[in-house]
Amino acid sequence: MKTRSISTLTFLLFVILSWSRAASADGHEDFLECLSHQFSNHNNSISNVVYTPKNSSYSSILAFSIQNLRFTSDSTSKPLVIITPEHETQIPPVIRCAKATDMQIRTRSGGHDYEGLSYVSEVPYVILDLINFSEITIEAKEKSAWVESGATIGSLYYRIAEKSPILGFPAGICPTVGVGGHFSGGGYGNLLRKYGLAADNVIDARIIDVNGRILNRKSMGEDLFWAVRGGGGASFGVILAWKVQLVDVPYTVTVFRIQRTLEQNATQLVHRWQYVAHKFDQDLFISITLTRASSGQDGRNMTIVASFTSIFLGEVDGLLSLMQESFPELGLVREDCTEMSWIQSILYFAGFPIESREVLLNRTQPIVRYFKAKSDYVQKPIPEYGLEGIWRLFYEAEAEEAVIILSPYGGRMGEISESALPFPHRANNLYKIQHLVYWEENEAQNSNRYINWIRRLYSYMAPYVSMSPRAAYINYRDLDIGVNNNEGKISYARASIWGIKYFKNNFNRLIRVKTMVDPENFFRNEQSIPSLH
Ligand SMILES: Cc1cc2nc3c(=O)[nH]c(=O)nc-3n(C[C@H](O)[C@H](O)[C@H](O)COP(=O)(O)OP(=O)(O)OC[C@H]3O[C@@H](n4cnc5c(N)ncnc54)[C@H](O)[C@@H]3O)c2cc1C
Ligand SMILES: *[C@@H]1O[C@H](CO)[C@@H](O)[C@H](O)[C@H]1NC(C)=O
Ligand SMILES: *[C@@H]1O[C@H](CO)[C@@H](O)[C@H](O)[C@H]1NC(C)=O
Ligand SMILES: *[C@@H]1O[C@H](CO)[C@@H](O)[C@H](O)[C@H]1NC(C)=O
Ligand SMILES: *[C@@H]1O[C@H](CO)[C@@H](O)[C@H](O)[C@H]1NC(C)=O
Ligand SMILES: *[C@@H]1O[C@H](CO)[C@@H](O)[C@H](O)[C@H]1NC(C)=O
Ligand SMILES: *[C@@H]1O[C@H](CO)[C@@H](O)[C@H](O)[C@H]1NC(C)=O
């Protein structure tokens, strides 16, 4: 990685001291004063990366990476300070001062956390925002890349395609997702059946620990390196960058999206898909998105639309013969299919025109919405009457903009052992469900209606999904499944309620690693791994 130039600032001490005095009414002066001391004997300025509520751009910096409008209200708690480091040496002093002054640190990369944990806390806190930590270095010959945490997956895909049309990386679908949170929670997308999770393809990492030490794979050791690949980065330190193994993709891939309503046998097709999707050839991935739509001539009736969305790592002829063999019921024909390059398929699935890739470098989502989400794993097919009960919930008023996404497992996911990484959801799963409900600005006062709807859906699903534990995906963060006590020593019993759902038996190893690297539980949040110190 290139190192950034370190700027010098002669009047740094004066600036920070005068400004921390000005801010003293806000109660964060201790932290700022500590920072000014930390930096007084450095040539490395930080005043241009420290924002307090007094700085005019504080609000826009805070809002920039908020990806769920649920956490933009005036009543949402706000950080006392936001720091946007430009060099890694600026981070250890932030950790030291937060420890010394009893401030929590929330590290934010892309800000997509479903419950806003990277920028909201109920106790006094600072945000370490890695937005300017986004360098990507591709080594096409070696088929590897170093990616800094604040980079987005869209920019990673863009930089890979810049170097080679036949290299790719198996991570998520929405280009604005940050690699800091995404890889540390697992990270999956349409290449999952062929290549597993993003975390399965991480080969090195750089992290700053609670003592401010900068570690790589060798110096952190295999336990910590294991933990940050799926255990959530926030419990263990500040991840600076990942080294990843790039994967082979063909020059031509084939995509399709086929929609079927209930009148077009959607129920039977979804039912059938459950028996075949996890057994397809690894080159074939077909997910289903379920939504409600109006139907009938006057549009007053409702129906369900199942969208079968697919990528095949090969040309259309190969896809048609596989589909004829494994899922003829869908009735796929050549006209439904489009051949394109892998990078174009990234644009296609993200909903952009496939001609212009530059949009992958844009960190702003076209639409940011109010939403609440949950996840489930399915291990035996849901009977048709079970699906019909879901349709009934979709007909309720709150579900107008609800979405359920079914993502098939099998393939590579079935080959990796449950304990290889903290992410335990491997063999035995037919598919994963993501439940989502969205609502509009004018309903912001009524969020609870929508949240209650998704909770009803979640209760309804209980008999059909994984049990003991009812497994969940940490990257689809859901505080309903349990939270830590926010004061005092974190209770093991209380943490296991959510911990076992995300990590199954790997939770205990995560606790051992946490106890070793952060015995005092400094890096802590509503769902951080507890230390048993
Ligand atoms: C629109 C949208 C689409 C999504 N699509 C997918 C998808 O296709 N596949 C999928 O698997 N997931 C998807 N997700 C979920 C996504 O993977 C997680 O929300 C992920 O944690 C986001 O990472 P981030 O860096 O953007 O988030 P952040 O909110 O910045 O971070 C998430 C968590 O990780 C911690 N963290 C972040 N950076 C660091 C760091 N450098 N060091 C230590 N801890 C850190 C934060 O403190 C927080 O606890 C999607 C989310 C959204 C909102
Ligand atoms: C600061 O810069 C001066 C001159 O450029 C150099 O001599 C000194 O070693 C530097 N100090 C630190 C702490 O880097
Ligand atoms: C925030 O305001 C202080 C005091 O005016 C200033 O010193 C500092 O440089 C500002 N921060 C940024 C990032 O501009
Ligand atoms: C840091 O990020 C902000 C927001 O994207 C940007 O305005 C600023 O120019 C960046 N600073 C550097 C040094 O890249
Ligand atoms: C739906 O399924 C039935 C029975 O399997 C079949 O007869 C009918 O043609 C199908 N309808 C459509 C629109 O595919
Ligand atoms: C609406 O649905 C009802 C019941 O399924 C049906 O009887 C009616 O014909 C439908 N109306 C339209 C306009 O499609
Ligand atoms: C980035 O995307 C947002 C949302 O679509 C758009 O408003 C903005 O103009 C884009 N920025 C650039 C530089 O294209």
Side-chain angles (χ1 to χ4, degrees):
M1 278 183 302
K2 271 199 321 242
T3 41
R4 293 192 179 79
S5 64
I6 297 175
S7 52
T8 46
L9 186 75
T10 43
F11 59 100
L12 164 77
L13 192 60
F14 167 75
V15 171
I16 292 197
L17 282 177
S18 52
W19 142 59
S20 62
R21 266 195 300 277
S24 61
D26 298 326
H28 50 268
E29 76 273 22
D30 291 351
F31 174 78
L32 292 173
E33 200 171 315
C34 172
L35 269 192
S36 75
H37 289 302
Q38 286 283 330
F39 280 92
S40 63
N41 48 16
H42 272 242
N43 290 342
N44 178 4
S45 145
I46 61 157
S47 75
N48 57 339
V49 299
V50 175
Y51 300 83
T52 73
K54 293 210 159 69
N55 291 81
S56 56
S57 37
Y58 168 91
S59 304
S60 57
I61 298 274
L62 176 62
F64 186 83
S65 296
I66 295 185
Q67 311 286 354
N68 186 341
L69 295 183
R70 208 148 52 92
F71 306 106
T72 50
S73 74
D74 289 342
S75 60
T76 305
S77 56
K78 307 279 188 293
L80 298 172
V81 181
I82 305 171
I83 296 136
T84 58
E86 286 169 348
H87 189 272
E88 60 191 30
T89 58
Q90 294 170 326
I91 299 175
V94 173
I95 296 174
R96 276 195 287 277
C97 290
K99 275 202 302 200
T101 60
D102 243 341
M103 295 269 244
Q104 220 172 59
I105 291 183
R106 294 298 168 109
T107 305
R108 181 163 77 170
S109 289
H112 289 68
D113 193 281
Y114 281 4
E115 299 277 16
L117 295 195
S118 57
Y119 54 88
V120 181
S121 172
E122 293 312 316
V123 302
Y125 67 111
V126 301
I127 294 180
L128 193 55
D129 190 328
L130 301 181
I131 186 163
N132 285 326
F133 236 84
S134 55
E135 211 165 86
I136 297 172
T137 314
I138 308 285
E139 296 291 349
K141 250 202 267 153
E142 208 189 87
K143 295 190 187 175
S144 70
W146 270 106
V147 195
E148 287 186 322
S149 290
T152 62
I153 55 177
S155 60
L156 174 60
Y157 299 151
Y158 180 95
R159 296 297 168 207
I160 294 171
E162 216 173 31
K163 288 286 171 69
S164 165
I166 50 169
L167 287 175
F169 191 69
I173 293 157
C174 170
T176 57
V177 167
V179 305
H182 189 61
F183 294 7
S184 70
Y188 86 94
N190 294 336
L191 297 184
L192 167 110
R193 302 192 65 253
K194 176 86 171 186
Y195 292 116
L197 305 171
D200 294 328
N201 296 278
V202 168
I203 52 179
D204 202 344
R206 286 166 59 76
I207 182 171
I208 303 193
D209 75 0
V210 70
N211 299 313
R213 291 180 306 173
I214 300 181
L215 307 170
N216 63 14
R217 177 173 186 169
K218 193 150 177 271
S219 51
M220 81 177 84
E222 287 302 305
D223 277 327
L224 181 54
F225 184 58
W226 173 85
V228 296
R229 287 174 295 159
S235 298
F236 299 99
V238 177
I239 294 151
L240 296 169
W242 307 101
K243 185 178 188 184
V244 296
Q245 186 72 62
L246 305 181
V247 302
D248 296 320
V249 292
Y251 283 100
T252 305
V253 306
T254 307
V255 304
F256 69 80
R257 183 177 288 126
I258 289 187
Q259 302 198 322
R260 295 285 185 262
T261 61
L262 295 185
E263 295 69 26
Q264 297 166 318
N265 291 346
T267 307
Q268 296 79 355
L269 290 170
V270 173
H271 183 251
R272 179 72 191 143
W273 171 92
Q274 300 178 100
Y275 290 85
V276 293
H278 65 288
K279 292 191 197 142
F280 288 150
D281 186 284
Q282 299 201 358
D283 288 335
L284 178 58
F285 178 92
I286 306 181
S287 64
I288 300 180
T289 303
L290 300 167
T291 51
R292 166 178 130 188
S294 48
S295 72
Q297 277 174 333
D298 56 4
R300 266 194 281 158
N301 277 4
M302 289 186 273
T303 188
I304 301 296
V305 181
S307 302
F308 294 81
T309 307
S310 174
I311 181 169
F312 173 63
L313 298 174
E315 296 173 6
V316 64
D317 290 331
L319 172 61
L320 288 171
S321 68
L322 270 183
M323 288 296 285
Q324 190 49 45
E325 214 174 278
S326 329
F327 197 19
E329 298 86 347
L330 191 60
L332 183 76
V333 294
R334 188 173 294 266
E335 291 67 42
D336 297 321
C337 304
T338 313
E339 292 184 337
M340 56 180 67
S341 64
W342 174 75
I343 194 71
Q344 289 177 323
S345 78
I346 295 287
L347 290 157
Y348 174 83
F349 291 115
F352 293 113
I354 62 172
E355 291 77 28
S356 171
R357 321 178 173 169
E358 269 59 40
V359 67
L360 295 176
L361 300 174
N362 190 334
R363 299 185 76 99
T364 306
Q365 291 192 70
I367 316 173
V368 179
R369 309 176 68 186
Y370 292 84
F371 71 93
K372 167 75 187 159
K374 293 179 167 290
S375 57
D376 263 317
Y377 286 88
V378 177
Q379 294 165 342
K380 54 182 200 308
I382 301 176
E384 286 191 16
Y385 65 80
L387 297 174
E388 282 157 0
I390 303 177
W391 309 162
R392 282 192 292 279
L393 279 153
F394 260 116
Y395 295 147
E396 293 183 12
E398 292 80 8
E400 188 171 357
E401 300 184 52
V403 180
I404 293 182
I405 303 171
L406 315 180
S407 303
Y409 270 45
R412 181 81 189 115
M413 290 304 278
E415 296 167 2
I416 298 173
S417 93
E418 279 198 7
S419 59
L421 291 185
F423 180 100
H425 319 294
R426 303 285 188 173
N428 304 330
N429 292 301
L430 304 180
Y431 59 98
K432 174 172 62 69
I433 305 184
Q434 178 173 204
H435 314 279
L436 286 149
V437 64
Y438 295 93
W439 58 95
E440 300 297 327
E441 176 87 58
N442 61 10
E443 284 290 294
Q445 301 308 315
N446 298 318
S447 317
N448 282 340
R449 271 183 60 197
Y450 298 89
I451 293 172
N452 287 336
W453 177 83
I454 202 169
R455 288 177 181 156
R456 280 204 302 286
L457 171 67
Y458 195 70
S459 320
Y460 170 79
M461 295 302 293
Y464 302 116
V465 298
S466 64
M467 295 173 211
S468 356
R470 183 166 183 183
Y473 174 35
I474 185 179
N475 267 347
Y476 294 158
R477 174 108 47 207
D478 178 7
L479 297 185
D480 290 350
I481 69 170
V483 291
N484 294 331
N485 44 308
N486 67 5
E487 278 180 23
K489 190 173 146 61
I490 299 178
S491 147
Y492 169 79
R494 193 163 157 177
S496 343
I497 295 171
W498 58 265
I500 301 287
K501 291 173 184 152
Y502 285 150
F503 306 115
K504 298 195 188 171
N505 292 333
N506 296 329
F507 188 53
N508 288 325
R509 181 168 176 199
L510 285 169
I511 290 174
R512 286 202 299 278
V513 178
K514 171 75 174 184
T515 306
M516 189 171 71
V517 303
D518 180 20
E520 309 296 332
N521 260 326
F522 171 71
F523 288 109
R524 156 170 196 165
N525 63 42
E526 289 80 346
Q527 289 182 339
S528 61
I529 307 293
S531 153
L532 292 188
H533 182 59

